[in-house]
């Protein structure tokens, strides 16, 4: 399938399962919302491998194919209680577990010589506000970790920052998701969120990111 229409695309990239989890809610959400239309834009759901390097190659291919106006990458953060838009991507790979190809970088830069960090260009405070208003638990997260999700988030923001001045700016960022109930059932006491709620949450994230140009100034920080 190729994109024959002129309508703008929103890239929604989720990950394949990794570690011992047989499913990854981020891919389930991306595939559920593939083709969803909002405000004249069409969501293109793609799957990224949970592999350092390869994940960014797949992201590059998807960006080249769909030429999106907005890129939202999503991933699983097992144990989190809420949908969490990430504030900042850092230029470090430090893998506590091997990725799906057995790679386990330690203290390697995502992009050598590039800035230490990039902020999300999604309106993360407005997103949290709108998720909560929709009845969905949400908070800003101040760390995306140092595994493949942060790697992709950093790689995305670096690519978007390199785009030539004068072109249409593309917004991008990362949102971590809780376990699905069937995943949390394997970790007694752990929090979870149903797939339908996670998908509704991403619809909310995309709608807000397409409409709110300047983020709202409300507190979303953490003491530690
Ligand atoms: N979560 C992992 C990698 C893939 C995913 O869904 C992470 O948070 O880094």
């Amino acid at each position: 399938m190729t994109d024959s229409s002129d309508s703008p695309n929103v890239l929604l990239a989720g990950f394949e399962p990794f570690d011992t989890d047989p499913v990854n809610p981020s891919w389930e959400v991306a595939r559920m919302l593939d083709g969803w239309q909002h405000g004249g834009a069409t969501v293109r759901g793609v799957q990224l491998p949970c592999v350092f390097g390869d994940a960014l190659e797949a992201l590059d291919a998807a960006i080249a194919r769909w030429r999106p106006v907005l890129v939202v990458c999503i991933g699983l953060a097992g144990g989190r209680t809420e949908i969490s838009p990430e504030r900042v991507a850092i230029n470090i790979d430090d893998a506590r577990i091997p990725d799906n190809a057995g790679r386990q970088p330690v203290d390697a830069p995502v992009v050598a010589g590039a800035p230490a960090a990039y902020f999300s260009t999604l309106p993360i405070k407005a997103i949290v506000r709108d998720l909560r208003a929709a009845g969905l638990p949400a908070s800003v997260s101040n760390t995306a970790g140092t595994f493949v999700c942060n790697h992709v988030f950093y790689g995305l923001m670096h690519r978007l920052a390199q785009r030539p001045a004068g072109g249409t700016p593309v917004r991008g960022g990362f949102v971590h998701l809780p376990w699905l109930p069937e995943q949390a059932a394997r970790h007694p006491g752990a929090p979870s969120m149903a797939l339908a709620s996670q998908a509704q949450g991403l619809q909310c994230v995309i709608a807000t990111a397409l409409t709110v140009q300047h983020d709202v100034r409300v507190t979303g920080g953490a003491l530690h």
Side-chain angles (χ1 to χ4, degrees):
M1 191 174 71
T2 55
D3 182 22
S4 52
S5 75
D6 287 335
S7 76
N9 290 316
V10 173
L11 189 62
L12 182 62
F15 281 94
E16 66 180 1
F18 67 102
D19 199 16
T20 57
D21 273 313
V23 293
N24 190 325
S26 67
W27 167 234
E28 300 306 321
V29 167
R31 111 163 128 186
M32 248 175 109
L33 296 189
D34 183 46
W36 181 63
Q37 297 193 319
H38 182 85
T42 304
V43 170
R44 308 296 180 179
V46 301
Q47 190 188 66
L48 303 179
C50 187
V51 178
F52 288 99
D54 296 7
L56 281 174
E57 283 180 25
L59 184 69
D60 281 337
I63 290 173
R65 177 177 179 188
W66 297 114
R67 285 178 280 123
V69 295
L70 168 68
V71 183
V72 180
C73 294
I74 51 180
L76 167 64
R80 288 229 183 135
T81 56
E82 304 177 296
I83 297 175
S84 41
E86 297 292 347
R87 189 193 297 263
V88 59
I90 59 175
N91 191 9
I92 200 82
D93 291 332
D94 187 3
R96 186 175 57 75
I97 57 171
D99 69 12
N100 285 358
R103 297 175 193 160
Q104 196 168 4
V106 174
D107 294 351
V110 181
V111 181
Y118 288 104
F119 289 119
S120 173
T121 51
L122 302 182
I124 55 172
K125 301 290 184 67
I127 286 170
V128 167
R129 174 197 64 190
D130 293 350
L131 285 166
R132 290 177 180 170
L136 296 165
S139 286
V140 166
S141 165
N142 295 301
T143 175
T146 56
F147 193 48
V148 186
C149 286
N150 174 73
H151 176 84
V152 161
F153 182 20
Y154 185 91
L156 168 67
M157 301 318 298
H158 185 66
R159 281 154 175 74
L160 298 184
Q162 302 303 303
R163 292 168 81 92
T168 314
V170 176
R171 275 180 139 177
F174 199 98
V175 178
H176 262 122
L177 301 172
W179 268 318
L180 297 170
E182 61 266 38
Q183 295 178 288
R186 298 167 58 219
H187 306 271
S192 65
M193 190 182 291
L195 179 58
S197 296
Q198 298 204 20
Q200 184 196 348
L202 261 297
Q203 288 178 321
C204 188
V205 168
I206 289 165
T208 300
L210 286 171
T211 52
V212 175
Q213 292 311 313
H214 301 288
D215 205 357
V216 292
R217 194 164 177 277
V218 294
T219 184
L223 291 189
H224 48 78

